[in-house]
Amino acid sequence: LGFDDRLTKICVGVYDKRKGTLTLHEGATRGTVFVMQQSVPTYLEQNNRLLQETNPGSNNRPNVFEDFGSSKKRKVLKSQAANRVEIDHVIGAGSGSAMVQHIMKGQQMSESNKKAIEESKQSDTDRKSAGQLALEAARRQLLPAYDEQAIEPQKVYDAKDIAGDKAWDRIYNKVHACLHQENPTFAVIESIFENDRNDFIVKMIEEVEPDSRNAAFRITCAILANWMIKFYKSNHFRKSIDGVNEIKASWFGIPSEIAYRCIQLFATPLPGGSKSEGTFVMSKQNKEKNIVHILLLCMIARGSSMSIPTINPIAECLQVPVKDCCQLLKYAGCTISKSGDVYAAKLKTPLEFPTMSRGPRIPRGR
């Protein structure tokens, strides 16, 4: 072929099977490669990214070259015009494309891809880093479902969602019946066996006015926390936990609906098991999840104040260091205060979760 100062050529190779040789032949126009600047006008117009917007004078350039430009330049302009493609003529693209419609509607798309598309719409300042995304995923694994946009603190966490429909209905209906007794508070407390009651839960129930509008709701939260405490104390040290038989009324002294919900939330099935039958185990994360759910239910049971005046008795009951309980509440977006040896917690809005910590800075040479 020889060298003629052209760095790029299009060649066609012909292989001769008999002779075992490969011969190269130049393509059309002596193998010359022409650079084409293709554009998709409809797509640009729909997305408001026309070249004329960024450079107002560019719209008159073709007319100038038509009148005063060289024949070579006019040929290039005609070539560019011939290579303009309408987006609707591109297979799999355009406003009428089924593929595009599916993508825009998010049909048959994984949650991770949907989330990635939503994040791509955000500006660089609003976009979360990989570390922040990992922290958020870990938080959602530990905490109950929460509403970051909630205006009122009591709307952040949903007690009924924590309990599940069956467990909530069983406790709430019983509490509602007790509140119609002659001595409502006494009837509610007596509905729990004495050995199953926790003193701070009893005190919490006694603080609720039976005639108040949300009395049944608050007492239901307190009793639900009481049963979750029993589940934790009975199983956190076990190497394995048996599944719940829903036919029976109770499971190791815990109402079966509540025990089943606790198994769902705070236990992991061993290989070969399921969430209804088989054998389970409580991992360290499961135990922390159980504790933080108890603490949040105690907070919700306090009503609109969304506070725990003293965390100490809850920590003592669970046999967990009070500072560990405080750390879990901070992780849930609460603020912690201390007066002497007494720790208190309060949830405020807008909800703010702790950011990632890089740990203490270690000086060089140590």
Side-chain angles (χ1 to χ4, degrees):
L1 296 177
F3 180 75
D4 55 357
D5 295 327
R6 290 183 297 166
L7 299 179
T8 307
K9 293 182 183 180
I10 295 179
C11 298
V12 178
V14 179
Y15 178 69
D16 191 335
K17 292 183 179 180
R18 293 180 181 179
K19 297 181 180 180
T21 59
L22 178 67
T23 306
L24 293 178
H25 301 275
E26 291 181 341
T29 63
R30 296 179 56 245
T32 304
V33 178
F34 296 95
V35 180
M36 296 185 295
Q37 297 180 352
Q38 294 186 347
S39 63
V40 186
T42 305
Y43 179 80
L44 294 175
E45 290 168 7
Q46 290 176 353
N47 291 274
N48 297 320
R49 290 196 295 268
L50 282 171
L51 182 61
Q52 288 88 330
E53 294 182 359
T54 57
N55 190 0
S58 63
N59 193 31
N60 299 322
R61 290 179 63 191
N63 296 332
V64 174
F65 282 108
E66 283 290 339
D67 295 333
F68 303 103
S70 63
S71 60
K72 184 177 180 181
K73 186 62 179 179
R74 287 198 297 269
K75 185 178 180 181
V76 171
L77 288 173
K78 289 180 181 179
S79 176
Q80 290 179 356
N83 284 282
R84 288 169 65 88
V85 183
E86 292 292 335
I87 187 66
D88 291 329
H89 295 164
V90 180
I91 298 174
S95 58
S97 169
M99 181 186 298
V100 173
Q101 294 299 325
H102 280 299
I103 291 174
M104 297 309 295
K105 293 179 181 178
Q107 295 177 0
Q108 298 179 349
M109 187 184 297
S110 66
E111 289 299 324
S112 59
N113 286 344
K114 289 181 183 178
K115 193 171 183 180
I117 290 175
E118 289 299 322
E119 288 174 357
S120 66
K121 297 178 183 177
Q122 300 175 357
S123 63
D124 293 337
T125 55
D126 297 332
R127 200 169 297 167
K128 295 179 179 178
S129 65
Q132 290 173 324
L133 292 173
L135 184 62
E136 182 178 348
R139 186 185 296 116
R140 292 190 180 277
Q141 287 288 330
L142 182 67
L143 302 178
Y146 53 84
D147 182 6
E148 285 189 83
Q149 308 303 323
I151 299 174
E152 300 175 353
Q154 62 267 31
K155 300 293 184 181
V156 174
Y157 295 101
D158 186 353
K160 189 173 181 180
D161 183 65
I162 294 174
D165 292 335
K166 290 184 178 180
W168 180 268
D169 290 343
R170 172 158 182 174
I171 300 174
Y172 185 87
N173 292 337
K174 193 170 186 178
V175 170
H176 192 265
C178 290
L179 290 177
H180 287 82
Q181 301 294 325
E182 185 177 351
N183 189 340
T185 303
F186 179 78
V188 169
I189 295 172
E190 286 298 311
S191 67
I192 309 171
F193 289 118
E194 186 175 357
N195 292 336
D196 294 331
R197 301 175 202 157
N198 292 287
D199 293 339
F200 70 92
I201 295 290
V202 172
K203 185 178 179 182
M204 198 180 297
I205 294 172
E206 290 174 341
E207 291 175 352
V208 180
E209 289 291 336
D211 297 331
S212 60
R213 182 177 57 85
N214 61 346
F217 175 84
R218 291 177 58 186
I219 293 172
T220 300
C221 292
I223 295 177
L224 183 63
N226 186 80
W227 289 124
M228 285 190 176
I229 290 170
K230 181 168 184 178
F231 179 86
Y232 176 84
K233 293 172 72 174
S234 302
N235 297 289
H236 77 280
F237 58 87
R238 294 181 185 271
K239 292 184 178 179
S240 62
I241 306 169
D242 294 331
V244 179
N245 187 347
E246 294 186 83
I247 299 175
K248 296 182 179 180
S250 63
W251 179 86
F252 292 102
I254 303 173
S256 58
E257 294 88 347
I258 302 168
Y260 179 77
R261 182 58 175 168
C262 289
I263 289 285
Q264 280 186 317
L265 292 174
F266 314 130
T268 304
L270 292 174
S274 65
K275 279 292 183 184
S276 58
E277 299 177 357
T279 309
F280 305 82
V281 65
M282 284 186 78
S283 64
K284 183 178 183 296
Q285 185 180 13
N286 290 144
K287 295 171 186 177
E288 291 177 345
K289 188 175 182 179
N290 197 167
I291 294 170
V292 76
H293 277 64
I294 291 168
L295 292 166
L296 289 173
L297 281 171
C298 290
M299 182 173 285
I300 297 171
R302 297 282 303 175
S304 58
S305 66
M306 287 298 289
S307 62
I308 302 178
T310 171
I311 306 171
N312 299 58
I314 306 175
E316 291 173 7
C317 177
L318 296 172
Q319 298 180 351
V320 176
V322 67
K323 290 186 177 180
D324 289 357
C325 291
C326 293
Q327 195 64 32
L328 288 171
L329 284 169
K330 283 183 181 179
Y331 200 68
C334 302
T335 55
I336 307 297
S337 59
K338 181 183 178 183
S339 178
D341 294 331
V342 177
Y343 291 84
K346 188 175 182 64
L347 184 66
K348 299 177 181 179
T349 50
L351 188 63
E352 292 185 5
F353 292 113
T355 56
M356 293 182 65
S357 174
R358 297 184 178 181
R361 184 176 179 180
I362 302 175
R364 292 184 178 180
R366 290 190 181 183

